[in-house]
Amino acid sequence: MANLRGRMTEAIVLSLEERSYLERQVRRRRVARALSERCRIILRCADGLQSKAVSAELGVHEHTVGKWRRRFLSQRIDGLMDEPRPGRPRRISDDEVAAVIERTLQTAPMDATHWSICSMAAVTGRSHTTIRRIWSAFGLQPHRAETFKLSSDPLFVDKVRDIVGLYLTPPTRALVLCVDEKSQIQALDREQPVLPMMPGMPERRTHAYVRHGTTSLFAALDVATGFVIGKCYKRHRASEFLDFLKEIDATVPDDLDVHIVMDNYATHKTAAIRAWIARRPRYHIHFTPTSASWINQVERWFAELTRKQLQRGVHTSVKQLETDIRRFIDRHNENPKPFRWTKSADEILASIRRFCQKTQTVLCGEL
């Protein structure tokens, strides 16, 4: 009697590296669905299942299982990858791509400060789609511009190491307070009532405003807890800053040293301020480098205040503005959370060094 059994399929035996790779591709979220499915097929085949059983379990055609089984047996992991497709031949040469990049980087249009996709397409005779693809491939975005400012402080490195050291390893039995003032906060009202948000329509307000005066906020942020000491003043002179230091002194426990991080504003260095600090040996002042406000953590809290309270707030008087600011501080202090400083001084200085080297290379290339 003839043998009616079907053709025997060759067993798949996986090495430890192959099984680890296949299982990793199955678990990954950002992997192509087709590759993940092929890896599942091979793993189930390696478990000893026949193609028909794998097909029923994974919901694919039996011929598909057989195809990837054969491909894996002949080429192993490489057989699971898509073969390169020729596609349509390129219609633009490498020299033409280089010419577009060079024009983008080194020239500007006659009627603008930077190139747009349409203006570059008109000059080069290429379609706007081609220009977009070239710019995307090389990360060129002529419409974007960012600002920067490097500190010229001769003690920049020492000050960065000092302040970052306070953030990462604060001294024992001491408070680290970041102090600064947010001056000229405007009490702004709109000329017409604000239209509230509705389904399908965002909140709307007039661009014109009525100014009802200004106030200045002095704030001290406790780096360890996120607690904020704040007080509003009509002006931001040395006398107001001295009064705020007295406010801090009345709030901070007497048995703790106080390390204050603040900038080089003139009102922070007057004779009266220096004399007040000299009479209190538990106070230690750490000045930030010039043009480096980013290292003062209270600036980050000021950004939260602006975004959550001031930017879209409507105030008909300075008194109402100050009331809202005090209410914001009180709500913040009900559940304060410190900002997490992650970079060490070495990492910050290395990042600035790389930026300077890159900038120097660009400038030398232009010369």
Side-chain angles (χ1 to χ4, degrees), residues 166-193:
L166 286 176
Y167 293 161
L168 297 180
T169 56
T172 58
R173 301 296 301 169
L175 285 179
V176 179
L177 300 179
C178 292
V179 176
D180 202 359
E181 61 267 5
K182 186 175 181 62
S183 60
Q184 300 296 313
I185 305 175
Q186 302 185 78
L188 300 180
D189 189 13
R190 298 294 158 178
E191 287 189 349
Q192 299 177 9

Side-chain angles (χ1 to χ4, degrees), residues 313-338:
V314 176
H315 303 99
T316 58
S317 66
V318 173
K319 182 178 180 180
Q320 183 185 12
L321 171 63
E322 293 179 347
T323 300
D324 285 347
I325 292 175
R326 284 194 295 267
R327 186 181 297 115
F328 179 84
I329 295 174
D330 292 339
R331 286 198 301 266
H332 170 83
N333 288 336
E334 289 175 0
N335 185 26
K337 294 181 180 179

Side-chain angles (χ1 to χ4, degrees), residues 43-104:
L43 287 171
R44 297 305 289 154
C45 290
D47 292 339
L49 298 182
Q50 295 297 318
S51 297
K52 182 178 293 186
V54 176
S55 170
E57 180 180 326
L58 300 182
V60 297
H61 199 279
E62 185 177 350
H63 291 171
T64 302
V65 178
K67 171 187 173 180
W68 294 113
R69 179 194 287 269
R70 291 190 298 272
R71 286 273 294 268
F72 184 83
L73 288 171
S74 61
Q75 304 177 40
R76 309 307 291 181
I77 294 293
D78 292 339
L80 302 181
M81 308 302 172
D82 288 324
E83 295 180 350
R85 296 177 173 85
R88 189 177 68 176
R90 289 180 57 186
R91 300 174 62 181
I92 181 171
S93 65
D94 292 340
D95 291 339
E96 291 172 317
V97 172
V100 171
I101 297 172
E102 183 178 0
R103 186 188 291 269
T104 304

Side-chain angles (χ1 to χ4, degrees), residues 182 301-312:
K182 186 175 181 62
W301 183 83
F302 282 153
E304 289 287 303
L305 171 66
T306 300
R307 181 176 64 88
K308 295 181 177 180
Q309 185 65 46
L310 303 178
Q311 193 170 38
R312 292 169 58 175

Side-chain angles (χ1 to χ4, degrees), residues 157-257:
V157 174
D158 295 335
K159 290 181 177 179
V160 168
R161 293 191 182 279
D162 177 38
I163 294 174
V164 174
L166 286 176
Y167 293 161
L168 297 180
T169 56
T172 58
R173 301 296 301 169
L175 285 179
V176 179
L177 300 179
C178 292
V179 176
D180 202 359
E181 61 267 5
K182 186 175 181 62
S183 60
Q184 300 296 313
I185 305 175
Q186 302 185 78
L188 300 180
D189 189 13
R190 298 294 158 178
E191 287 189 349
Q192 299 177 9
V194 176
L195 301 180
M197 178 179 62
M198 298 177 62
M201 185 180 76
E203 178 185 276
R204 295 183 178 182
R205 59 182 62 208
T206 62
H207 65 277
Y209 59 84
V210 179
R211 180 177 159 184
H212 294 285
T214 63
T215 188
S216 295
L217 170 64
F218 287 78
L221 171 72
D222 183 359
V223 172
T225 65
F227 188 87
V228 172
I229 304 170
K231 191 174 181 180
C232 292
Y233 296 88
K234 292 182 179 180
R235 304 176 68 177
H236 56 287
R237 302 169 299 178
S239 57
E240 282 80 15
F241 183 64
L242 180 58
D243 182 77
F244 182 63
L245 288 178
K246 295 177 180 178
E247 183 82 13
I248 293 176
D249 192 54
T251 306
V252 174
D254 296 334
D255 59 337
L256 296 179
D257 285 348

